[in-house]
Amino acid sequence: MERAKENFFIYADPRKCLGCKNCELACAIAHADCDLQTAVTQGLQLQPRNSVVQVDDMVMPIQCRQCEDAPCALACPTGAIYQENGFVKINEGNCVGCKVCAMVCPFGAIIVTKDINDKGNHRTKKGKARKCDLCFNRIQDNNEFSCACVEACPTKAIMLVDYESYRKKLIEERGKELVRAHTKTTA
Amino acid sequence: MSKMNNTTDLAANYLLPLAKKAGIETAWDRFAAMKPQCGFGELGVCCRICWKGPCRIDPFGNGPQKGVCGADAHTIVARNLIRMIAAGAAAHSDHGRHVALTLLEVGEGHAPAYRIKDEQKLRSIAEKLNLAPAGKDIKQVAKEVALASLEDFSRQNYSIPCNWAKETMTAERVDKLVELGVMPHNIDAVIAEIMSRTHVGCDADAVNVLLGGLKGALADYTGMYLSTELSDVLFGTPEPVVTAANLGVLKEDAVNIAVHGHNPILSEIVCDVALKMNEEAKKAGAKEGINIVGICCTGNEVMMRRGIPLATNYLSQELALITGAVDAMVVDVQCIMPAVTSLAECFHTEVITTVPVNKITGATHIEFHEDTALDSAKKIVELAIDAFKRRDNRKVNIPDYKQTAIAGFSAEAIIDALSKLNAKDPLKPLIDNIVNGNIQGIALFAGCNNPRVTQDNNFITIAKELAQNNVLMLATGCGAGAFAKNGLMTQEATEAYAGDSLKAVLTTIGKAAGLNGPLPLVLHMGSCVDNTRAVKVAVAIANKLGVDLDKLPVVASAPELMAEKAVAIGTWAVTLGIPTHIGIVPQIMGSSVVAEFLTEKARDLLGGYFIVETNPEKAAAKLVAAIKERRKGLGI
């Protein structure tokens, strides 16, 4: 059987992040199917799935890391959260908005909120768990990712990480350093 | 998504690939690199007015709804907007102050390079400003007019309106604006007032802030009006002239001097001196001597008064240098991209700055003063001739694109043309044709270029639609540049695009005025500071009909605007009662209060209002609808 590839995920380099929150705007817009001016003029209360956080001097957006052994999926009482084709997905039809996933997420990356188009009533508020879906709906015909936050970042701080090639690069770089150190000491 | 074209300009489309090949970046490349632009900035909800911030309001309501001080989105957007208006007013009125001071120098006999070219106009201005010029020496009149104009920069009595505002509008409008408390008494004081009321912890009521903005816009109007009128006194009132536009006007065998910026105080003298130095240029090897061309609104100024060809408008200014054929680019103030000096390093071009408060790193600075204007102009032309000697002809690439352009339609020139039909009552033929519907209305195109849209495309598309709907069209600034470059200021354009009744009227007037054919489709009224020329025509019509401006079938459009000056102009057009279209989404949408005020509430208050529409076809339809609505109101 072919080994399953690890999930891609979004990572932001805090050394490059300016805290401008453009990724938040882009994320909210990307999940709403309209442009910024229209959304604001119509007073749509869009919800980004990432949040820019500041801790001491450091600032960066936090979003779902598409965990391989996702606590949210394990905790979900209705089985609405599951792994599929490299994504941690939420089946909103099964979600009851109980917030267990939000409580167990180590990154606070799950937001329980209603969709702008879902009108609640006295029986339900229609809140569902939502999180970064790597802009699944924007994946193009050629199967390429097109993450709104990555594209919106003015300092290129945000990247979509392919864990395998990231690790390979790391290994190569450290390997090169080790080789250089070794050559120096033997020379 | 298909990629938007950068420009409709043929010369620009010829040069852009060459620039790319040579690795030279232009505004379009920098715009692409700047994307994505900040969403908070686009909505106007970023406040940088104090150092507790920057504060940003979350437009979706999840995050902060108030800045640290408690200012909400409406306060922040309104403050940001009126600070832009103040900057626009400052730019225009500084230009006006400069012209008024020069007129004063001439009146006092201190500025030998300058003289009064239009005495009749000076006397009629003196009449308008109630200075009783009859029998007075012309220099005395110049002095009095200059001082009365400078009073508009120095008056301390808040209850007395600026001369140039009060005397140039309909009486009804003056009363309305005074009643609203937005009539300026002193241009500088109003600009200072905007800065002070928007300081941290001051005016926080968005609508009150906006009223301050209207006052600032009217200060802009005042500065612009006096600027244009006094320039006409010093340099002549424009009359129709046939010339050409686009980069094909550069000549391979001439010393090409591009005058760029806004103020004719400099460019006029450079033109005078260059004429005298033609032989020196020939001696240096330039068979055709000196060829002066214009860029941006300096270009429009010299085009209107001297028929000097226009090389290009704002967004393609860098491309003039990429031809490799511009020997000197002489600049004064406003809309000069700082990029020109680094671009000039790739060529032999001398970029020459002339104003002490407008320097660009990498440029040669030759300071220009009224009393020594001739010496400075001579030095500038000498530098250009020297540069010509260094020109590398292998790098010369002049696009073979230019269009005929008929320019020079000052208000006086239009009235003069009409007087050939009815000498006693020149406005009558125009008004009759508006009343009978041959001319449905009048549209003024103004404003800039903006890389957010395909260069010149909005202007051209809207104008062709309005022409078909028999709307008489006027244009200034880079809008006029767009029409000139694209051949819409020609008699052929009238034949091709005007609706039948408009064509008939333009032909009757054109023939009577001795043009052997129709007037051009779009009438060139001058640089962007000259928008008041159009107001002059509109006010004359309003007074004749005995109605205020907000009743006339007159609209304005700035379909590609970007500058703070354009924000100020658009705002005074609305304040005067004119429906005003803008084709770029303004950076105010983060506040429903501000957006609603400018597009709806202003209508109840002033009669004028903003129409925001980025699609040029839809914009044209909305402008036609606004004209029709006005006609209905007048019962015609």
Side-chain angles (χ1 to χ4, degrees):
Chain A
M1 196 183 106
E2 205 184 332
R3 197 180 73 82
K5 202 169 154 22
E6 282 74 22
N7 302 339
F8 285 28
F9 62 98
I10 297 286
Y11 170 73
D13 184 344
R15 290 167 301 181
K16 290 187 188 164
C17 179
L18 298 175
C20 74
K21 299 190 182 183
N22 264 321
C23 54
E24 284 189 9
L25 292 192
C27 179
I29 293 294
H31 292 92
D33 202 23
C34 71
D35 66 73
L36 178 62
Q37 274 85 4
T38 312
V40 174
T41 313
Q42 293 178 358
L44 303 181
Q45 190 162 4
L46 305 185
Q47 177 72 57
R49 285 125 188 258
N50 53 358
S51 14
V52 177
V53 293
Q54 176 159 23
V55 181
D56 299 329
D57 289 342
M58 208 191 70
V59 55
M60 64 190 287
I62 297 277
Q63 54 279 310
C64 172
R65 296 188 65 92
Q66 314 291 338
C67 301
E68 301 294 318
D69 184 15
C72 56
L74 293 173
C76 178
T78 66
I81 308 183
Y82 57 101
Q83 294 277 347
E84 187 179 83
N85 298 334
F87 298 86
V88 175
K89 288 192 174 173
I90 301 176
N91 179 345
E92 290 185 4
N94 288 355
C95 174
V96 296
C98 71
K99 309 171 207 69
V100 169
C101 54
M103 291 174 75
V104 298
C105 175
F107 301 97
I110 299 182
I111 303 131
V112 179
T113 177
K114 71 178 175 72
D115 189 84
I116 44 163
N117 297 317
D118 280 340
K119 300 268 178 294
N121 56 38
H122 68 281
R123 290 184 63 190
T124 174
K125 285 153 78 181
K126 291 267 188 159
K128 305 277 180 193
R130 299 181 210 270
K131 65 173 192 66
C132 167
D133 57 2
L134 299 178
C135 286
F136 182 72
N137 288 331
R138 287 161 44 108
I139 290 179
Q140 288 148 0
D141 302 338
N142 55 6
N143 229 7
E144 287 223 359
F145 283 90
S146 150
C147 301
C149 58
V150 175
E151 288 171 13
C153 181
T155 60
K156 309 268 181 279
I158 307 178
M159 58 194 141
L160 176 71
V161 179
D162 168 0
Y163 164 72
E164 263 180 42
S165 39
Y166 190 86
R167 183 166 163 268
K168 204 171 152 208
K169 255 190 234 161
L170 266 182
I171 290 175
E172 278 173 10
E173 287 307 311
R174 293 299 87 77
K176 270 187 222 162
E177 280 171 16
L178 285 174
V179 169
R180 271 201 298 271
H182 184 68
T183 342
K184 263 185 204 160
T185 44
T186 52
Chain B
M1 198 174 78
S2 66
K3 195 180 169 296
M4 183 188 84
N5 287 329
N6 286 336
T7 173
T8 57
D9 180 334
L10 295 174
N13 275 317
Y14 169 83
L15 286 167
L16 279 173
L18 299 183
K20 193 170 187 179
K21 210 170 146 197
I24 297 172
E25 66 163 32
T26 64
W28 285 284
D29 300 312
R30 293 189 297 271
F31 179 69
M34 197 53 67
K35 283 183 189 168
Q37 288 174 297
C38 176
F40 297 94
E42 286 190 339
L43 295 170
V45 292
C46 172
C47 181
R48 288 174 45 251
I49 278 173
C50 88
W51 286 352
K52 302 196 299 305
C55 292
R56 288 154 309 178
I57 304 306
D58 183 335
F60 305 132
N62 308 303
Q65 295 302 291
K66 283 180 178 173
V68 177
C69 70
D72 62 10
H74 311 301
T75 305
I76 292 172
V77 168
R79 283 178 177 169
N80 286 340
L81 177 69
I82 79 163
R83 283 195 166 202
M84 288 189 81
I85 293 173
H92 277 140
S93 60
D94 235 7
H95 175 157
R97 182 200 329 267
H98 199 165
V99 179
L101 286 171
T102 306
L103 183 66
L104 182 62
E105 297 265 310
V106 172
E108 290 176 344
H110 299 316
Y114 302 88
R115 63 192 176 85
I116 294 154
K117 275 205 185 142
D118 193 338
E119 291 194 9
Q120 196 192 335
K121 178 146 189 174
L122 178 60
R123 287 191 185 277
S124 79
I125 290 171
E127 290 282 357
K128 208 174 186 62
L129 298 181
N130 310 311
L131 298 170
K136 284 183 193 161
D137 172 62
I138 196 71
K139 283 200 165 170
Q140 178 62 26
V141 180
K143 222 171 119 176
E144 287 179 20
V145 166
L147 289 172
S149 303
L150 291 168
E151 226 178 34
D152 284 353
F153 293 90
S154 58
R155 183 181 297 104
Q156 297 305 317
N157 187 334
Y158 278 74
S159 63
I160 303 175
C162 282
N163 292 325
W164 278 99
K166 181 169 169 276
E167 305 301 340
T168 56
M169 296 176 196
T170 57
E172 200 181 319
R173 187 61 32 177
V174 172
D175 291 344
K176 180 174 275 193
L177 299 177
V178 168
E179 196 186 323
L180 270 174
V182 298
M183 195 61 155
H185 68 290
N186 169 335
I187 297 167
D188 289 347
V190 170
I191 294 168
E193 183 182 283
I194 287 181
M195 298 314 285
S196 79
R197 74 195 295 165
T198 56
H199 184 272
V200 63
C202 295
D203 199 1
D205 178 77
V207 171
N208 202 47
V209 173
L210 289 174
L211 288 173
L214 302 186
K215 195 170 171 186
L218 290 169
D220 179 74
Y221 167 88
T222 309
M224 284 176 75
Y225 212 120
L226 69 91
S227 180
T228 297
E229 300 298 296
L230 302 186
S231 290
D232 282 355
V233 169
L234 288 173
F235 307 116
T237 305
E239 290 166 12
V241 57
V242 182
T243 176
N246 217 341
L247 289 168
V249 302
L250 291 166
K251 293 180 184 166
E252 198 159 352
D253 292 322
V255 174
N256 291 305
I257 302 179
V259 288
H260 178 14
H262 282 79
N263 200 330
I265 295 272
L266 163 77
S267 50
E268 281 288 328
I269 308 304
V270 172
C271 291
D272 282 345
V273 169
L275 281 176
K276 290 180 196 147
M277 292 175 71
N278 217 25
E279 284 310 309
E280 287 173 47
K282 284 185 181 169
K283 262 186 237 157
K287 273 180 259 168
E288 297 198 57
I290 292 173
N291 179 38
I292 297 197
V293 300
I295 297 179
C296 267
C297 281
T298 291
N300 286 321
E301 295 275 355
V302 291
M303 188 186 206
M304 291 286 283
R305 295 200 179 89
R306 293 173 177 258
I308 282 175
L310 182 78
T312 199
N313 55 353
Y314 175 76
L315 197 48
S316 37
Q317 58 182 275
E318 293 167 284
L319 299 182
L321 301 187
I322 290 170
T323 63
V326 173
D327 301 299
M329 178 182 260
V330 190
V331 307
D332 49 43
V333 294
Q334 300 163 21
C335 302
I336 301 134
M337 290 187 189
V340 291
T341 53
S342 47
L343 213 160
E345 282 172 15
C346 305
F347 299 93
H348 68 296
T349 313
E350 280 279 359
V351 176
I352 303 166
T353 52
T354 54
V355 178
V357 295
N358 283 246
K359 293 188 181 178
I360 304 173
T361 313
T364 304
H365 188 71
I366 297 182
E367 204 143 299
F368 198 86
H369 295 286
E370 289 68 41
D371 49 348
T372 54
L374 293 169
D375 295 339
S376 311
K378 189 157 178 278
K379 261 189 230 161
I380 288 167
V381 177
E382 281 167 357
L383 269 184
I385 296 174
D386 273 352
F388 170 79
K389 293 178 196 160
R390 298 195 304 272
R391 190 199 287 177
D392 181 351
N393 279 322
R394 288 167 306 179
K395 287 188 181 173
V396 173
N397 237 316
I398 302 175
D400 192 17
Y401 296 109
K402 64 177 172 184
Q403 285 278 355
T404 302
I406 307 178
F409 291 94
S410 56
E412 289 82 350
I414 292 176
I415 304 286
D416 191 50
L418 291 168
S419 71
K420 302 291 190 315
L421 296 174
N422 186 336
K424 270 196 183 152
D425 191 355
L427 282 175
K428 192 168 184 297
L430 180 60
I431 290 172
D432 286 351
N433 278 301
I434 293 175
V435 170
N436 69 21
N438 286 339
I439 293 176
Q440 286 289 308
I442 303 177
L444 167 66
F445 287 95
C448 334
N449 283 147
N450 190 323
R452 286 173 185 273
V453 298
T454 304
Q455 186 193 16
D456 301 341
N457 183 54
N458 281 358
F459 284 109
I460 307 304
T461 311
I462 299 174
K464 285 181 182 169
E465 287 287 322
L466 294 190
Q468 250 176 16
N469 283 284
N470 298 303
V471 175
L472 175 67
M473 293 179 287
L474 318 171
T476 62
C478 283
F483 294 125
K485 285 190 305 175
N486 288 280
L488 261 58
M489 290 181 159
T490 58
Q491 299 182 313
E492 291 76 12
T494 309
E495 299 288 358
Y497 303 115
D500 291 338
S501 61
L502 175 67
K503 196 186 294 178
V505 177
L506 290 178
T507 306
T508 312
I509 303 173
K511 282 191 173 158
L515 287 174
N516 290 326
L519 290 176
L521 185 68
V522 184
L523 303 182
H524 194 322
M525 290 203 98
S527 68
C528 56
V529 85
D530 292 338
N531 279 303
T532 46
R533 292 193 197 280
V535 176
K536 200 173 188 177
V537 176
V539 168
I541 296 172
N543 283 337
K544 177 99 183 145
L545 292 173
V547 298
D548 195 3
L549 292 167
D550 62 355
K551 301 287 183 297
L552 295 183
V554 172
V555 295
S557 171
E560 303 182 16
L561 84 167
M562 58 98 201
E564 289 166 317
K565 291 183 294 171
V567 176
I569 296 169
T571 309
W572 66 243
V574 165
T575 312
L576 291 188
I578 298 167
T580 301
H581 161 249
I582 51 178
I584 303 288
V585 178
Q587 294 177 359
I588 60 152
M589 302 309 271
S591 161
S592 53
V593 170
V594 174
E596 196 181 272
F597 181 89
L598 296 172
T599 55
E600 291 166 34
K601 294 254 168 71
R603 193 174 180 149
D604 307 329
L605 210 59
L606 306 154
Y609 53 95
F610 278 107
I611 302 165
V612 179
E613 179 53 68
T614 53
N615 176 312
E617 280 95 6
K618 286 186 188 162
K622 287 180 181 177
L623 288 167
V624 170
I627 285 173
K628 292 232 155 87
E629 196 185 326
R630 288 282 173 94
R631 293 185 66 88
K632 210 171 154 196
L634 284 171
I636 55 176

